[in-house]
């Protein structure tokens, strides 16, 4: 399970995967755009499940479905950590997430988010304040 918050380095072309996350991501992941100006790292089985659901449930005739597909697929990069524990970081994904020389990896159980540290701290501060409200909105999911 992918859990925790970790800081790592980024250079112009590669991103360091924190050691505690490497076992879960060793078999491969797909790096793509996330929703809130972060990157998503989805282990290969989860990526395959997501794309199968998108093919089955999102009609090509729906503008929102096409927009979501563009967001997810256009910059998607299948990869696996190298021996040094790094993965490629294409320029378009770097720019989208505002990544410079440091990132924050956030484990969300079945996938990770990769954030610019300043954006993560802003998002985390907002979540810290709105946590009870957010939890209340999720009651209908039975959690």
């Amino acid at each position: 399970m992918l859990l925790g918050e970790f800081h790592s380095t980024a250079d112009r072309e590669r991103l360091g995967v924190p050691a505690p996350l490497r076992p879960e991501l060793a078999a491969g992941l797909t790096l793509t755009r996330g929703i809130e100006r972060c990157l998503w790292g989805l282990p290969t089985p989860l990526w395959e499940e997501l794309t199968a659901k998108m093919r089955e449930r999102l009609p090509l005739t729906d503008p929102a479905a096409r927009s979501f597909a563009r967001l997810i697929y256009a910059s998607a990069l299948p990869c696996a950590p190298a021996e040094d524990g790094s993965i490629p970081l294409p320029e378009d994904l770097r720019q989208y997430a505002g990544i410079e020389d440091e990132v924050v990896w956030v484990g969300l159980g079945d996938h990770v988010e990769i954030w610019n540290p300043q954006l993560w701290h802003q998002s985390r501060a907002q979540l810290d304040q709105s946590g009870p409200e957010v939890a209340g909105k999720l009651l209908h999911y039975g959690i």
Side-chain angles (χ1 to χ4, degrees):
M1 184 169 275
L2 297 161
L3 302 173
E5 180 180 317
F6 306 93
H7 292 255
S8 78
T9 58
D11 64 28
R12 289 313 271 164
E13 298 177 359
R14 307 219 37 105
L15 184 61
V17 179
L21 301 176
R22 290 180 196 165
E24 290 285 328
L25 301 175
L29 67 147
T30 297
L31 192 63
T32 192
R33 292 177 179 206
I35 304 278
E36 291 118 351
R37 302 301 286 193
C38 66
L39 303 180
W40 284 350
L42 293 94
T44 301
L46 181 61
W47 173 255
E48 291 171 353
E49 181 182 323
L50 172 64
T51 58
K53 285 180 183 177
M54 289 175 66
R55 282 191 307 273
E56 293 168 9
R57 299 178 186 174
L58 297 181
L60 292 174
T61 56
D62 185 310
R66 290 193 309 273
S67 291
F68 185 69
R70 289 180 193 123
L71 176 76
I72 298 301
Y73 290 129
S75 296
L77 175 69
C79 58
E83 282 188 31
D84 67 356
S86 68
I87 58 173
L89 180 60
E91 184 62 25
D92 61 328
L93 291 177
R94 172 189 291 284
Q95 287 180 6
Y96 173 78
I99 293 172
E100 294 178 10
D101 58 352
E102 184 182 357
V103 297
V104 179
W105 291 71
V106 180
L108 297 177
D110 61 355
H111 71 287
V112 294
E113 290 180 340
I114 304 162
W115 288 83
N116 166 299
Q118 292 78 24
L119 294 177
W120 169 244
H121 292 298
Q122 291 171 5
S123 181
R124 176 101 187 236
Q126 183 179 17
L127 180 59
D128 288 346
Q129 290 199 356
S130 64
E133 180 184 338
V134 170
K137 290 180 180 179
L138 299 178
L139 286 175
H140 70 278
Y141 289 112
I143 296 175

